[in-house]
Amino acid sequence: PPSSSAGGMPREPLPSWVQSVCDELVRCGVFPHDQPPNHVLLNEYRPGQGIDPHKDGPLYAPRVAILSLSSRASFLFLEDSVARAERAALLLPPRGLLLFRDEAYTDLLHTVPQATHDDAARPSLVRLDLPGRAGACSGEERGGGGGEQCGGGEEGYGGGGGSGRGEES
């Protein structure tokens, strides 16, 4: 029988196509070699669907990578308070990868808003598909404090949803 991980979920081998994505996240320096992705969750959000504001808890610690597969994805970070003030509003491009950790992981709620379209003209929205916002993983390995971009994204805050959201890696 599969052994249990720290969060009590049974460990199972990842399908080969998922494992190859996880291996690439390590190769690009998004995840350290000694802390590779430990969990994968795939969600599909159709227009008008989303997920309520939440924290992921210890199962995915210390970071979350979110991959938008086939569509743009809106993502919000909110203060964990009654007011739930918006701290970041992001628009992830198709095939974009975004990760979050530190304060964004431990202190803030994150959500995929229930919207029928992405308001790309919204003044507070950070579009990660604009020049200078997206990074690409080159053939050389990235390491250290930077290099947390691979195929699109920005260190610190992050998110993604849309059709085929691979979250909690």
Side-chain angles (χ1 to χ4, degrees):
S3 63
S4 291
S5 67
M9 301 274 298
R11 289 187 188 264
E12 298 179 20
L14 296 174
S16 61
W17 68 272
V18 174
Q19 186 62 56
S20 68
V21 171
C22 293
D23 292 346
E24 189 67 12
L25 292 174
V26 171
R27 189 188 71 74
C28 288
V30 175
F31 282 81
H33 289 281
D34 62 341
Q35 290 182 320
N38 62 9
H39 187 84
V40 174
L41 174 66
L42 295 175
N43 293 328
E44 179 180 14
Y45 298 102
R46 300 203 180 269
Q49 294 179 323
I51 188 167
D52 290 334
H54 67 282
K55 290 182 182 177
D56 289 326
L59 186 61
Y60 313 114
R63 67 188 73 210
V64 172
I66 296 177
L67 176 63
S68 177
L69 297 177
S70 63
S71 66
R72 295 190 309 183
S74 293
F75 202 79
L76 299 176
F77 281 94
L78 310 169
E79 290 181 2
D80 189 7
S81 65
V82 174
R84 291 198 173 170
E86 185 177 291
R87 292 282 300 275
L90 306 169
L91 183 60
L92 187 64
R95 297 170 307 284
L97 173 69
L98 203 54
L99 74 119
F100 60 94
R101 62 183 186 171
D102 302 328
E103 177 192 8
Y105 185 87
T106 59
D107 299 345
L108 300 178
L109 301 170
H110 59 276
T111 180
V112 174
Q114 296 177 2
T116 56
H117 67 282
D118 296 316
D119 184 4
R122 182 175 164 196
S124 65
L125 186 70
V126 176
R127 290 193 51 193
L128 299 177
D129 59 342
L130 297 177
R133 288 280 184 189
C137 183
S138 67
E140 63 188 65
E141 190 171 12
R142 298 176 181 222
E148 298 233 342
Q149 302 174 8
C150 185
E154 192 168 90
E155 184 176 350
Y157 295 112
S163 180
R165 176 173 169 238
E167 180 179 296
E168 293 29 333
S169 296

